[in-house]
């Protein structure tokens, strides 16, 4: 096939993709029965903006080892490409945003053809391939050869408003990832308007300052040909100097209006009597209407040969940003309209598009004849992009108990570091798959010993200049064999990386146990991107520490309140807030056992810096009793003290178990028999309650290891038996609603203690007293519960 005929075939494929993607959305909104009467939605203009780019990328540039993150609103373009490959049938093309059908945005877990990356929330999909590249390199250097390949992000220009995007772009390690390629769909429109100053120059400069190669694709061949003619310089200057809104407005003009507006009589900077303006007027006077209208729309992002030339310039030794100028709605009646973001073409416009495309609006789904040039390119592309299957690694045998005796006074945060060190000694075949990630808080979260032992992972080895400094405690030895990764102070980067490290089991058959550590007050900042990573199949552990008002001297801004209920509210997540070091060990090992498998889950551990007397845990010495305690810990709670005739039940969690037990001692001295329950996972207890009420969807009560453990309700029968139903006081260093549901198990009187206001700096005792979670307040609440 000649170059000319190949380009013609690519243009034909583009036109078919534009037609199919438009039809997918049209059918969902205009044809399919709509019981609710509400708009189904879709983004025809956003699809049209990037259809040329995706045509050039898929049908010329991509290789099987490459992966692509598609901007959310371009999902129908991707579905159209899969349809041409024969991976979707006609019926599936009618199911956009239908229950169980094609997803609103590309999804790794819910679409019939899994996307490389799930996209949806602005900015998250753009950065995911950066962390995917790190995860690929880590697996390749630590476990087995999984090949190379570029990591593409198709990014809408409005996504560049997200600060998290620039946090990722500017991370120091990213400049070494030459496989990263971002293609920015620069259509200069947002949801509601034309962006007055998209500041393309500043965007280019920011990428360049971060060490990226920048390739700008501004004009297509037709415009470049006109620029070479007499008056062409004036035309170039006119287009470059007009504002974004003015340019978008002339896209809406007829040829006659364009001949008037373009030379500048409409109040522009172009003087109608100047030499350049006369040259411009003469240039466009020689053009027929069709050529003039096509020329003003001939931006580089819609010119396939220009895009291919840009792709050929990509330098794989550093990340690349291809900035492609485009028109939102290109090829549609809504082209360039400032409110076209969610606009739908009507039936008449759809019929006109069908006629222009040579398609039948009554039978919109059609593929190419395999004997045509376009059909041959589609078939060759499908064959070229076929990926090799990776044989899953043998299942990892995880220990469930490291059999350490935890003595003395210890914090749950300190226990984390000890558990990792014990794991590396007792089960190296497990520990070799652990990778820790932190945002510059390794030493302050007790990971120092682990980092010294396993080293720091880096794409490029670096000399440790402080290795011979006797006063340097934390050794920063960087190599491709390290197991700790440290990012800058950017929590969204950390959880983005966690999500991709946690997806290696499904991408390459190699499970990892990624554990991220950050200060608990910042967990909510990272919650959305982490949740999206969980949705996309990334299974990881996030450790928030230190937490709560127990971090008293730090003040209210650094005291987390709402994080304890996170595990109840986030799907696919188990939460643990262990009080004792033994509970940390068991819950961490169990959380690791949930990962790296179909139906697996992520976990959130909320830890504390407060030292707790480990003898208070009363860990049984008898092996059978010890195992029973372990099972209860990982299921959500255990009875720490049981009375013969209890009058009240104290239920505590985390660092406040010291106060809870002290309050129980005080009540016993007053003659009030007291049961004490230590909660380790409010989320698992809530699942057990829901399962017992038969209120949970099947996917919540079955299909995952953590859900199955809580689904039978046995933990509630053992820890909250109806025979011991007495008034209850719940206590935690967080919002009191987290444990309030426990009172509904047996419908008992209840007082909920916790933190519901911003904290104060000060001594821990004073801060506990201020929030009413000190020993005296617990005793008082118990007496109130008994009296009522």
């Amino acid at each position: 096939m000649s170059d000319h005929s190949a380009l013609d075939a690519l243009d034909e494929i583009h036109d078919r993709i534009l037609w199919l993607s438009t039809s997918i959305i049209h059918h969902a909104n205009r044809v399919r029965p709509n019981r609710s009467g509400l708009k189904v939605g879709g983004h025809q203009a956003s699809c049209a903006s990037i259809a040329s780019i995706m045509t050039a990328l898929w049908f010329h540039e991509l290789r099987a080892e490459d992966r692509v993150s598609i901007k959310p609103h371009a999902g129908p373009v991707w579905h159209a490409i899969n349809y041409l490959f024969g991976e979707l049938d006609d019926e599936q093309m009618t199911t956009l945003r239908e229950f169980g059908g094609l997803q609103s945005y590309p999804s790794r877990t819910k679409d019939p053809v899994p996307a490389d990356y799930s996209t949806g929330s602005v900015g998250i999909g753009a950065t995911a391939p950066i962390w995917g590249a790190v995860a690929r390199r880590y697996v390749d250097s630590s476990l087995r050869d999984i090949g190379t390949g570029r990591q593409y992000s198709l990014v809408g220009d409005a996504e560049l408003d997200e600060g998290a995007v620039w946090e990722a772009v500017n991370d120091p390690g990213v400049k070494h990832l030459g496989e990263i390629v971002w293609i920015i769909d620069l259509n200069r429109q947002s949801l509601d308007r034309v962006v007055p100053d998209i500041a393309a120059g500043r965007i280019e400069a920011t990428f360049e300052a971060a060490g990226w190669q920048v390739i700008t694709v501004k004009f297509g061949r037709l415009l470049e040909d006109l620029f070479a003619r007499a008056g062409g310089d004036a035309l170039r200057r006119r287009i470059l100097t007009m504002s974004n809104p003015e340019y978008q407005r002339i896209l809406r003009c007829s040829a006659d209006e364009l001949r008037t507006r373009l030379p500048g009589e409409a109040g522009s900077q172009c003087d109608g009597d100047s030499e350049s303006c006369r040259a411009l007027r003469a240039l466009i006077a020689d053009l027929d209407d069709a050529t003039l209208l096509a020329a003003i729309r001939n931006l580089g992002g819609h010119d396939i040969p220009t895009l291919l030339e840009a792709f050929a310039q990509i330098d794989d030794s550093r990340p690349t940003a291809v900035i492609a100028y485009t028109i939102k709605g290109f090829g549609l009646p809504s082209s360039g309209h400032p409110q076209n973001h969610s606009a739908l073409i009507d039936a008449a416009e759809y019929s006109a598009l069908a006629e222009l495309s040579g398609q039948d609006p009554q039978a919109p789904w059609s593929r190419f004849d395999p004997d045509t040039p376009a059909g041959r390119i589609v078939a060759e592309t499908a064959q070229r992009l076929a990926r090799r299957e990776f044989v899953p690694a043998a299942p990892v045998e995880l220990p469930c108990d490291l059999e350490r005796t935890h003595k003395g006074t210890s914090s749950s945060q300190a226990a984390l570091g000890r558990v990792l060190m014990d794991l590396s000694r007792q089960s190296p075949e497990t520990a070799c798959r652990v990778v820790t990630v932190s945002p510059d808080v390794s030493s302050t979260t007790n990971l120092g010993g682990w980092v010294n032992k396993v080293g720091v992972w880096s794409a490029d080895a670096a000399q440790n200049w402080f290795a011979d400094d006797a006063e340097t405690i934390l050794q920063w030895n960087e190599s491709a064999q390290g197991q700790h990764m440290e990012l800058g102070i950017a929590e969204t980067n950390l959880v983005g990386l966690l999500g991709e490290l946690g997806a290696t089991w499904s991408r390459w058959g190699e499970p990892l146990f990624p554990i991220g550590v950050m200060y608990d007050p910042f967990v909510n900042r990272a919650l959305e991107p982490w949740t999206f990573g969980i949705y996309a199949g990334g299974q990881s552990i996030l450790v928030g520490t230190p937490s709560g008002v127990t971090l008293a001297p730090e003040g209210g801004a650094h005291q987390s309140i709402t994080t304890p209920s996170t595990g109840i509210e986030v799907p696919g997540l188990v939460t643990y807030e262990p009080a004792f070091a033994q509970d940390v060990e068991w819950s961490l090992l169990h959380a690791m056992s949930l990962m790296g498998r179909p139906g697996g889950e992520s976990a959130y551990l909320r830890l504390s810096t407060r030292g707790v007397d480990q003898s208070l845990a009363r860990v049984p010495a008898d092996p059978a009793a010890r195992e029973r305690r372990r099972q209860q810990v990982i299921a959500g709670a255990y009875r720490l003290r049981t009375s013969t005739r209890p009058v009240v039940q104290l239920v505590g969690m985390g660092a406040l178990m010291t106060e809870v037990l002290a309050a129980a001692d005080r009540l016993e001295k007053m003659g009030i028999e007291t049961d004490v329950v230590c909660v380790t996972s409010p989320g698992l207890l809530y699942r057990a309650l829901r399962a017992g009420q038969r209120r949970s969807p099947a996917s919540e009560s079955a299909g995952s290891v953590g859900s199955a453990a809580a689904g039978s309700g046995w933990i509630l029968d053992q820890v909250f038996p109806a025979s011991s139903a007495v008034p209850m006081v719940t206590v935690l260093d967080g919002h009191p609603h987290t444990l309030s549901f426990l009172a509904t198990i047996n419908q008992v009187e209840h007082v909920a203690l916790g933190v519901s206001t911003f904290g104060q700096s000060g001594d821990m005792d004073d801060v506990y007293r201020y929030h009413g979670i000190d020993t005296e307040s617990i005793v008082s609440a118990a007496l109130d519960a008994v009296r009522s």
Side-chain angles (χ1 to χ4, degrees):
M1 191 185 305
S2 68
D3 290 345
H4 182 73
S5 60
L7 290 174
D8 287 344
L10 288 175
D11 283 335
E12 189 178 355
I13 292 171
H14 163 266
D15 293 345
R16 185 67 57 87
I17 288 172
L18 177 62
W19 164 254
L20 289 170
S21 61
T22 303
S23 297
I24 290 170
I25 301 168
H26 180 81
H27 189 281
N29 288 275
R30 308 284 195 194
V31 180
R32 192 171 73 213
N34 187 335
R35 289 173 295 178
S36 69
L38 299 175
K39 176 183 175 182
V40 176
H43 301 84
Q44 290 171 330
S46 292
C47 288
S49 177
I50 202 169
S52 303
I53 293 171
M54 292 180 68
T55 299
L57 187 62
W58 257 263
F59 294 94
H60 186 275
E61 196 69 17
L62 280 185
R63 299 296 178 265
E65 59 270 21
D66 299 336
R67 295 183 183 272
V68 188
S69 172
I70 302 161
K71 77 169 188 174
H73 295 155
V77 179
W78 177 63
H79 297 316
I81 291 172
N82 286 326
Y83 175 77
L84 291 181
F85 289 155
E87 295 179 353
L88 295 175
D89 58 32
D90 290 8
E91 183 179 354
Q92 288 171 306
M93 297 290 275
T94 68
T95 64
L96 180 71
R97 301 189 174 202
E98 187 176 67
F99 186 82
L102 300 178
Q103 296 299 296
S104 309
Y105 310 121
S107 172
R108 283 196 73 221
T109 55
K110 296 184 181 298
D111 266 312
V113 179
D116 288 337
Y117 294 96
S118 293
T119 55
S121 295
V122 175
I124 295 175
T127 59
I130 290 178
W131 315 124
V134 174
R136 186 206 63 77
R137 288 193 180 210
Y138 184 85
V139 171
D140 196 73
S141 63
S142 302
L143 299 174
R144 63 167 157 168
D145 178 13
I146 54 172
T148 57
R150 287 177 180 169
Q151 299 278 339
Y152 289 91
S153 289
L154 303 182
V155 185
D157 53 9
E159 292 188 85
L160 300 182
D161 291 343
E162 288 286 337
V165 165
W166 298 110
E167 287 181 352
V169 167
N170 285 288
D171 187 89
V174 172
K175 65 183 179 182
H176 301 294
L177 304 176
E179 63 266 46
I180 299 296
V181 179
W182 283 22
I183 304 175
I184 298 163
D185 175 14
L186 195 77
N187 59 42
R188 293 155 295 176
Q189 285 187 237
S190 61
L191 180 65
D192 299 318
R193 61 173 183 157
V194 177
V195 181
D197 181 12
I198 198 64
R202 288 204 300 271
I203 293 172
E204 295 172 11
T206 304
F207 276 110
E208 288 173 343
W212 290 49
Q213 175 192 25
V214 177
I215 302 170
T216 302
V217 188
K218 190 167 289 188
F219 301 119
R221 290 166 298 165
L222 177 55
L223 269 177
E224 291 289 358
D225 288 345
L226 292 177
F227 294 156
R229 299 185 189 181
D233 287 342
L235 176 61
R236 181 192 290 272
R237 284 195 303 272
R238 178 73 175 101
I239 294 175
L240 290 175
T241 56
M242 70 173 62
S243 68
N244 288 331
E246 183 183 4
Y247 177 77
Q248 299 294 113
R249 179 63 186 90
I250 66 173
L251 294 175
R252 311 286 299 169
C253 292
S254 66
D256 287 342
E257 291 176 309
L258 193 54
R259 294 182 193 281
T260 299
R261 286 176 178 265
L262 195 57
E265 273 85 348
S268 74
Q269 296 177 352
C270 185
D271 181 357
D273 294 327
S274 68
E275 181 179 347
S276 63
C277 199
R278 289 194 297 271
L280 174 54
R281 190 179 294 109
L283 173 63
I284 63 176
D286 290 339
L287 304 178
D288 60 72
D289 287 356
T291 302
L292 178 61
L293 291 172
I296 202 63
R297 291 166 170 77
N298 185 228
L299 297 184
H302 299 301
D303 193 78
I304 289 177
T306 303
L307 286 167
L308 298 183
E309 290 173 4
F311 295 159
Q313 299 174 42
I314 294 173
D315 174 8
D316 287 324
S317 68
R318 54 179 172 153
T320 298
V322 178
I323 302 176
Y325 281 65
T326 60
I327 298 170
K328 198 163 186 174
F330 180 78
L332 300 179
S334 62
S335 176
H337 193 281
Q339 279 88 51
N340 67 6
H341 181 78
S342 298
L344 300 171
I345 62 176
D346 59 29
E349 292 170 329
Y350 183 68
S351 295
L353 180 65
E355 184 176 354
L356 184 66
S357 305
Q359 299 296 308
D360 181 357
Q362 303 305 315
W365 320 118
S366 64
R367 298 185 179 90
F368 291 106
D369 183 329
D371 292 329
T372 63
R376 286 192 288 272
I377 288 178
V378 170
E380 290 166 2
T381 300
Q383 185 176 12
R384 184 182 75 243
L385 297 183
R387 288 177 177 160
R388 63 168 164 147
E389 293 289 331
F390 287 95
V391 178
V396 178
E397 295 267 346
L398 268 163
C400 59
D401 191 335
L402 300 178
E403 300 181 351
R404 170 191 277 267
T405 300
H406 298 273
K407 300 179 179 179
T409 299
S410 175
S411 69
S412 56
Q413 176 179 294
L416 171 69
R418 287 200 301 272
V419 171
L420 290 176
M421 293 297 289
D422 287 348
L423 186 66
S424 67
R425 287 188 289 265
Q426 297 186 33
S427 182
E429 66 280 5
T430 300
C432 73
R433 292 183 180 270
V434 173
V435 53
T436 54
V437 186
S438 68
D440 197 31
V441 293
S442 300
S443 57
T444 56
T445 54
N446 286 91
L447 288 183
W450 166 260
V451 172
N452 286 344
K453 179 175 179 59
V454 301
V456 178
W457 185 88
S458 175
D460 297 305
Q463 183 171 349
N464 179 6
W465 292 101
F466 290 87
D468 59 350
D469 187 336
E471 296 183 6
T472 299
I473 299 175
L474 183 63
Q475 294 298 329
W476 211 252
N477 297 312
E478 298 180 67
S479 73
Q481 286 69 50
Q483 289 181 242
H484 176 74
M485 298 183 183
E486 187 133 310
L487 304 174
I489 303 179
E491 286 76 15
T492 53
N493 285 355
L494 182 142
V495 296
L497 178 54
L498 277 185
E500 292 307 317
L501 290 169
T504 59
W505 67 273
S506 59
R507 292 196 192 280
W508 302 293
E510 291 289 350
L512 295 173
F513 302 123
I515 302 172
V517 179
M518 68 172 63
Y519 289 164
D520 196 65
F522 305 140
V523 165
N524 282 341
R525 179 188 299 176
L527 190 57
E528 187 218 359
W530 189 43
T531 301
F532 204 85
I534 294 171
Y535 162 79
Q539 298 163 9
S540 60
I541 297 172
L542 183 62
V543 178
T545 183
S547 62
V549 300
T550 298
L551 190 62
E554 293 285 347
H558 277 181
Q559 296 171 359
S560 52
I561 296 173
T562 61
T563 50
S565 63
T566 297
I568 298 179
E569 298 156 2
V570 177
L573 182 66
V574 175
T575 183
Y576 286 104
E577 185 166 348
F580 304 104
Q582 186 61 74
D583 299 350
V584 173
E585 176 190 314
W586 285 336
S587 58
L588 180 65
L589 293 175
H590 180 66
M592 292 170 63
S593 75
L594 304 181
M595 299 191 299
R597 64 180 67 187
E601 293 192 274
S602 294
Y604 161 51
L605 271 65
R606 189 174 189 254
L607 305 183
S608 172
T609 52
R610 184 189 184 186
V612 174
D613 181 359
Q614 296 303 301
S615 67
L616 297 175
R618 298 183 180 180
V619 178
D622 176 73
R626 179 184 175 93
E627 173 58 18
R628 183 170 179 270
R629 167 70 70 86
R630 188 190 71 82
Q631 291 285 348
Q632 291 176 335
V633 165
I634 65 174
Y638 56 94
R639 295 174 71 84
L640 197 50
R641 293 188 188 178
T642 301
S643 302
T644 305
R645 294 178 178 272
V647 176
V648 67
Q649 185 176 58
L650 303 184
V651 180
M653 185 169 74
L656 286 183
M657 285 309 299
T658 297
E659 278 64 35
V660 170
L661 291 167
D665 291 340
R666 187 93 58 87
L667 289 167
E668 291 286 348
K669 289 180 181 178
M670 297 167 64
I672 300 173
E673 292 193 53
T674 306
D675 281 355
V676 176
V677 171
C678 180
V679 170
T680 54
S681 176
L684 288 178
L685 296 180
Y686 185 72
R687 288 189 197 179
L689 179 62
R690 293 275 290 177
Q693 297 170 338
R694 301 179 184 272
R695 299 287 184 182
S696 301
S699 60
E700 183 179 325
S701 58
S704 69
V705 181
S707 297
S712 67
W714 66 267
I715 187 64
L716 302 184
D717 294 336
Q718 290 190 6
V719 179
F720 302 101
S723 59
S724 298
V726 293
M728 176 186 294
V729 177
T730 56
V731 191
L732 75 155
D733 186 357
H735 199 283
H737 80 84
T738 306
L739 299 178
S740 293
F741 72 92
L742 295 175
T744 68
I745 297 172
N746 292 313
Q747 302 297 318
V748 297
E749 292 293 330
H750 174 229
V751 178
L753 302 182
V755 180
S756 55
T757 62
F758 286 114
Q760 300 284 338
S761 296
D763 181 86
M764 190 182 301
D765 291 339
D766 292 336
V767 172
Y768 280 3
R769 190 177 306 111
Y770 171 80
H771 290 288
I773 54 176
D774 60 316
T775 300
E776 190 65 38
S777 297
I778 298 171
V779 170
S780 177
L783 295 175
D784 289 342
V786 170
R787 294 191 191 103
S788 60

